[in-house]
Amino acid sequence: MFDFDMLGLAPALNDALKRAKFSQPTPIQNQAIPLALKGHDILGLAQTGTGKTLAFGLPLIDHLLAQPGKPDPKTAKALILAPTRELVNQIADSLRNLTGDTRLRVATVVGGQSINRQISVLSRGTDILVATPGRLMDLMDRRAVDLSSVRHLVLDEADQMLDLGFIHALRKIAPQLGTPRQTMLFSATMPKQMEELSRAYLTNPQRVQVSPPGKAADKITQSIHFVSKPGKPHKLREILSADKDALTLVFSRTKHGAEKLMKGLVADGYNAASIHGNKSQGQRDRAIKAFRSGEINVLVATDVAARGIDIPGVAYVINYDLPEVPDNYVHRIGRTARAGREGQAIAFCSAEEVDLLRQIQKLMKINIPVASGTQPEAVEPKKPTRNQNNRRRSFKPQAANGGSKPAASKGRRPRRKPAA
């Protein structure tokens, strides 16, 4: 294994890495950094928690340090797009730790925060802009940012951006960027759509893959508990009580479910908080900060946090509800066993979720060890009743642009168009 100082990085970066006590690069960093330093486009595939941020961040900073001059007002030299607010903030914090003693500036733009303040920050220009696609589009519409100077583009967790429907935003953002440019695309999974994305935005990319897509980190111990849906609350408390001080991340499928579960835990004396889409950005930031510091030790979350939490001390990830998208299971459990540590991923599976479990195991090409219970027969989701179907058919949207018009009300003649 090489040391960072053997990769050819700028002295300022090597000094920053030593201060942060980083000595040896991870496999994805070891392979990607030399190629990125040479200017190649990169398609990087690795599990969560393996150091993808430094894999693209270090060569990006190195390139920018070699470029003279400050950014012009409203411009950026490099753009990093990520799907969630939490991930944007996590990336920015990592980069600021490396650029603190340099002239480079790092700015973030995400939804849920004051857009006027972000406009003020961008008015001075920035070297590195880390953004969610939606808020960046808002700022572009207001002419608050000029992307024509961007010569480095990074798409982090690109598959989740596709899942969240950001492909349309990417198609609008990309033509506004400068050329020629270096593009780096990183993800933990490689669905077919992402192959198409890489062909559209990368030029002769170097593919860097340190593990098969869908594979979890080696130091994660996985287990499954077959338990009925009504039995899940008791099983969760049983597991939490066995290691009361451990940092535990619990995943719920829905926002309402996450909030209800958190409130029940707090009522039972557990030190818990929640983050999900109905929480403000300030509430989410405070919850993650409290979790990171150990002020709370149970964090209940939806998939909004599956890729936005980089806390090395997370000992347990509990899938209270199995995700409907198999790839999300890999991202969820990747919140533990980070930075070389060990961790446990525990999943609950009810009869309604047996098919979801099969899809997850098929993706990962493993059978998750059973910790308790017996696999039940799969239960088909309830089909809508006849009355529900009738109600759905009764609400037919009016077709736009020449579509069929709704029938005129009985007993009334349609209004005549006034003479010109």
Side-chain angles (χ1 to χ4, degrees):
M1 176 77 71
F2 294 107
D3 290 334
F4 275 112
D5 56 12
M6 298 176 67
L7 296 178
L9 295 166
L13 275 177
N14 284 322
D15 291 342
L17 288 166
K18 289 176 182 176
R19 285 195 300 273
K21 296 183 179 179
F22 289 115
S23 58
Q24 293 182 329
T26 65
I28 187 70
Q29 295 164 0
N30 199 40
Q31 293 186 39
I33 290 173
L35 294 170
L37 287 174
K38 292 178 181 178
H40 291 291
D41 282 8
I42 302 293
L43 174 59
L45 296 169
Q47 315 106 314
T48 54
T50 54
K52 293 194 297 291
T53 301
L54 291 189
F56 64 74
L58 288 170
L60 176 61
I61 295 170
D62 189 273
H63 284 303
L64 295 178
L65 288 173
Q67 299 175 15
K70 296 180 179 180
D72 292 329
K74 296 186 179 182
T75 69
K77 294 183 177 181
L79 173 64
I80 301 172
L81 293 176
T84 66
R85 307 168 193 173
E86 284 75 20
L87 188 53
V88 164
N89 292 333
Q90 174 188 306
I91 293 169
D93 288 343
S94 296
L95 298 182
R96 287 177 180 132
N97 287 336
L98 299 171
T99 59
D101 292 337
T102 73
R103 57 178 170 78
L104 300 183
R105 293 199 296 263
V106 180
T108 62
V109 292
V110 297
Q113 294 182 352
S114 169
I115 195 168
N116 290 328
R117 182 180 177 188
Q118 292 170 0
I119 290 172
S120 175
V121 170
L122 290 174
S123 68
R124 300 188 291 273
T126 187
D127 295 281
I128 303 173
L129 178 60
V130 193
T132 52
R135 176 49 63 93
L136 182 59
M137 288 291 298
D138 292 341
L139 291 162
M140 291 169 62
D141 291 342
R142 297 186 184 211
R143 300 185 184 278
V145 60
D146 177 0
L147 301 177
S148 61
S149 297
V150 171
R151 292 294 188 272
H152 302 274
L153 172 65
V154 177
L155 304 177
D156 193 21
E157 304 292 6
D159 55 341
Q160 192 184 24
M161 280 196 271
L162 294 178
D163 290 342
L164 295 177
F166 285 134
I167 183 62
H168 303 295
L170 291 176
R171 288 173 179 155
K172 292 181 179 179
I173 293 169
Q176 306 301 316
L177 306 180
T179 55
R181 64 176 176 269
Q182 179 186 42
T183 302
M184 293 184 275
L185 188 155
F186 282 81
S187 183
T189 61
M190 187 68 178
K192 290 182 179 179
Q193 258 191 309
M194 213 174 80
E195 292 183 11
E196 298 170 5
L197 188 73
S198 67
R199 287 195 295 269
Y201 294 104
L202 277 66
T203 303
N204 299 322
Q206 297 291 313
R207 182 172 174 134
V208 178
Q209 182 172 332
V210 298
S211 64
K215 184 178 183 299
D218 293 334
K219 293 191 177 182
I220 299 177
T221 301
Q222 299 181 63
S223 63
I224 187 88
H225 293 266
F226 290 109
V227 58
S228 67
K229 192 172 181 179
K232 286 185 177 184
H234 175 75
K235 177 60 70 175
L236 176 63
R237 284 156 176 77
E238 179 183 301
I239 293 172
L240 293 177
S241 297
D243 195 352
K244 293 182 178 179
D245 296 327
L247 289 185
T248 303
L249 184 56
V250 182
F251 280 104
S252 172
R253 188 177 299 123
T254 67
K255 295 177 283 189
H256 173 74
E259 191 68 10
K260 181 180 178 181
L261 181 57
M262 179 274 292
K263 288 180 177 178
L265 290 172
V266 171
D268 288 344
Y270 293 92
N271 205 3
S274 65
I275 60 171
H276 48 72
N278 284 347
K279 297 281 190 177
S280 70
Q281 187 60 44
Q283 290 174 317
R284 287 156 65 168
D285 289 343
R286 287 191 292 274
I288 290 177
K289 183 178 180 181
F291 188 56
R292 187 186 302 274
S293 68
E295 184 180 339
I296 63 166
N297 65 307
V298 180
L299 184 63
V300 185
T302 57
D303 281 317
V304 72
R307 311 192 197 195
I309 295 181
D310 183 14
I311 300 175
V314 174
Y316 300 91
V317 169
I318 299 177
N319 279 280
Y320 187 85
D321 300 313
L322 291 180
E324 293 180 341
V325 179
D327 287 339
N328 285 351
Y329 176 85
V330 180
H331 297 299
R332 287 180 177 188
I333 69 175
R335 299 306 100 197
T336 188
R338 300 182 73 83
R341 291 174 170 83
E342 296 182 351
Q344 292 193 43
I346 300 169
F348 296 168
C349 181
S350 65
E352 296 84 358
E353 298 170 302
V354 169
D355 188 56
L356 297 178
L357 175 63
R358 289 172 181 160
Q359 294 177 42
I360 290 167
Q361 295 186 137
K362 181 179 178 181
L363 171 71
M364 302 185 71
K365 297 180 173 62
I366 63 168
N367 288 320
I368 301 173
V370 178
S372 71
T374 303
Q375 180 171 322
E377 291 294 324
V379 174
E380 291 292 330
K382 290 184 179 179
K383 294 181 179 180
T385 65
R386 184 175 179 180
N387 287 339
Q388 287 174 324
N389 279 329
N390 289 338
R391 282 200 299 272
R392 288 177 184 176
R393 282 195 292 268
S394 67
F395 290 100
K396 291 183 179 179
Q398 181 179 351
N401 300 326
S404 59
K405 295 180 180 179
S409 301
K410 288 185 179 181
R412 295 184 183 178
R413 291 182 354 189
R415 291 183 181 178
R416 289 185 179 180
K417 192 173 182 179

